[in-house]
């Protein structure tokens, strides 16, 4: 079965950086759009960034200029470099693979930004 496994979350101070990674298995990774979403307590899950199968990124306004999404189609990995982190970035971050109506989710990784 398809697996998306996230790593790289943790506790960081305001202004710090973290790099999240998601490794996909049992899918044809290169044809999927890959995304990062996040969900804070009491909030709905929201899009953070997505990168198309051709490598074009799209970012939520709240993270533009601070976060960078990238993909490696050889290693079946999508990464999210998060810089200048703010307390409002605190959430569980989920990796997503999407192609047409088919989508898969990872189990999530916690990111906590202390003030």
């Amino acid at each position: 079965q398809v697996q998306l496994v996230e790593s790289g979350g943790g506790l960081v101070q305001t202004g710090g950086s973290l790099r999240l990674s998601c490794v996909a298995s049992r899918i044809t990774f290169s044809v999927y759009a890959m995304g990062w979403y996040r969900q804070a307590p009491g909030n709905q899950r929201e899009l953070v960034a997505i990168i198309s199968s051709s490598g074009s990124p799209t970012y939520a306004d709240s993270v533009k200029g601070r976060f960078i999404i990238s993909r490696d189609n050889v290693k079946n990995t999508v990464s999210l470099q998060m810089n200048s982190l703010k307390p409002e970035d605190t959430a569980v971050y989920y990796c997503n693979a999407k192609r047409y109506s088919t989508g898969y989710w990872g189990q999530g990784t916690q990111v906590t930004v202390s003030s």
Side-chain angles (χ1 to χ4, degrees):
Q1 71 198 50
V2 175
Q3 278 193 317
L4 301 178
V5 180
E6 302 102 332
S7 62
L11 174 64
V12 65
Q13 291 186 333
T14 296
S17 298
L18 282 175
R19 184 176 180 86
L20 305 182
S21 293
C22 170
V23 180
S25 57
R26 301 183 184 91
I27 61 171
T28 306
F29 183 81
S30 61
V31 303
Y32 281 78
M34 299 299 299
W36 286 96
Y37 291 73
R38 67 187 180 187
Q39 187 168 17
N43 290 358
Q44 291 188 334
R45 193 171 296 189
E46 62 177 6
L47 174 69
V48 176
I50 190 167
I51 186 165
S52 70
S53 57
S54 62
S56 296
T58 302
Y59 298 95
D61 287 344
S62 59
V63 306
K64 280 181 182 176
R66 300 189 297 123
F67 290 11
I68 300 172
I69 189 170
S70 60
R71 65 187 297 157
D72 184 331
N73 290 342
V74 174
K75 296 181 178 180
N76 284 8
T77 299
V78 60
S79 299
L80 186 69
Q81 178 65 42
M82 304 187 295
N83 302 318
S84 302
L85 283 161
K86 305 174 181 180
E88 51 263 44
D89 294 319
T90 295
V92 178
Y93 283 70
Y94 296 91
C95 177
N96 174 264
K98 182 174 174 62
R99 183 171 189 253
Y100 301 123
S101 60
T102 300
Y104 303 99
W105 292 95
Q107 82 287 351
T109 186
Q110 176 70 47
V111 171
T112 303
V113 185
S114 63
S115 57

